[in-house]
Amino acid sequence: MPHRFDALTAEHMRAGGSWKWSTPGESHGRGLIGAFVAEMDYPVADAVADAVRASADGSRFGYLPDGWVADMAAACSAFWGDRFGWAPDPAWVRPVPDVLTAFTATVRHFTRPGSAILLPTPAYMPFLTVPAMLGRELVQVPMARSGERFVLDLDAIDRGFAGGAGLLVLTTPHNPTGRVFDASELAAVAEVVERHGARVFSDEIHAPLTFGDARHRPYVTTSGAAPGHTITATSASKAWNLPGLKAGQVVLSNAADAAHWTATGYLAEHGTATPGVLASTAAYRDARGWLDEVLAYLEGNRAHLAAADLPGIDVTVPDGTYLAWLDARGLGLAEPPSAFFTREAGVVMTDGAACGEAGRGGMRLNLAVSHPVLTDALDRIRSAIRSM
Ligand SMILES: Cc1ncc(COP(=O)(O)O)c(C=O)c1O
């Protein structure tokens, strides 16, 4: 039985006009397949669409009332409690337009002025560029490998803090490697951070997107010390595919930080979109079935990638997120691999160099397409390699 998402052909997606599918150009007479920016091709959940329609029908485009913030906080907390075993105090779940705004507010208001920022790499691309925009030094900490897995290099993080850095940017599930860090790894991070009196920005935007036996563990639950030094950020925007609706959540985890957020968070909160808050509430509360359907469909795409024969490419199938890491250094290309595969395969991926020095020679492939589109993308990548 074909799944309804199987009908999402490349032609259908191009007609939709999304950024993901509107890269100009072609490859060997074929249209380009959009597999870079972290959006899903799947149509949004009915409950989310209904919430946006109800916003329009009810002219709910005014400033954000406290009651709708409270509803979103309660829905987010209940979802986290049910899925991850930790329900944050809804009073400490605050609205922001997006995770990047939460990050900039954290740097500005919760770190020592002028202190450097530690970033395990490869990393989500804006974390490489935004610190300089805030006048901060960025210290890249390449992740280590343990067998097939990417792991955090605790010694390098320790050295970074000893050198004066004040904040670690943690991302779990991790973009772009797909790692879902386990509780013991995260507890070990907390020990290092605490020893240096430093802080963590824990980006858990991909939390609901885990596969197989992997389970998201909120960083603050992994150590007694972590709630005291962490600002957590999340959003329904990845798991329910709503980034344009501009609503995310900051989760505070101690009274002093909550009070400091109340004093300093106004500008960060102010950009949050009212329809986005209503849609996020609907997602967390009423669209869990849609999420489960998407997770099951993505399981199929993961299996498809795992079975693909891509000579010269070391494929990391993600345990979390719908982003796969393809290490193409084995091909010995004289150009960035994403440039080669855009031109020769017509598959547009994120180049690893944009994810930091440690990502050079790699690519990030977005798996949240239909099965037929993924099959086509993998066939094209394989053919491009064979014709080298
Ligand atoms: C790890 C990670 N953090 C943050 C973001 C951006 O989130 P937002 O649009 O809420 O700023 C993304 C988007 O792909 C992401 O993958």
Side-chain angles (χ1 to χ4, degrees), residues 199-216:
R199 285 234 166 226
V200 168
F201 176 74
S202 191
D203 175 350
E204 303 185 15
I205 193 171
H206 292 275
L209 297 165
T210 59
F211 305 99
D213 295 334
R215 287 284 170 279
H216 175 66

Side-chain angles (χ1 to χ4, degrees), residues 148-174:
E148 305 271 278
R149 309 175 112 189
F150 283 86
V151 294
L152 296 165
D153 185 338
L154 285 182
D155 292 338
I157 291 171
D158 200 347
R159 283 194 298 277
F161 284 134
L167 179 76
L168 172 70
V169 181
L170 188 69
T171 301
T172 188
H174 187 252

Side-chain angles (χ1 to χ4, degrees), residues 38 98-100 124 127 171 175 203 205-206 235 237-238 243 246:
D98 46 45
V99 166
L100 270 189
Y124 169 58
F127 288 143
T171 301
N175 169 4
D203 175 350
I205 193 171
H206 292 275
S235 173
S237 71
K238 286 298 126 186
K246 290 293 159 200

Side-chain angles (χ1 to χ4, degrees), residues 22-63:
S22 53
T23 307
E26 59 173 37
S27 161
H28 300 281
R30 303 165 302 193
L32 303 182
I33 293 177
F36 67 111
V37 62
E39 297 176 359
M40 300 196 277
D41 286 358
Y42 317 131
V44 292
D46 288 343
V48 167
D50 288 346
V52 175
R53 268 191 294 268
S55 299
D57 292 345
S59 296
R60 294 177 189 152
F61 295 155
Y63 293 110

Side-chain angles (χ1 to χ4, degrees), residues 74-84 208 240 283-285 288 291:
C76 174
S77 173
F79 177 82
W80 273 52
D82 292 345
R83 293 271 164 143
F84 316 131
W240 285 274
Y284 284 126
R285 201 180 52 204
R288 298 184 186 189
L291 173 64

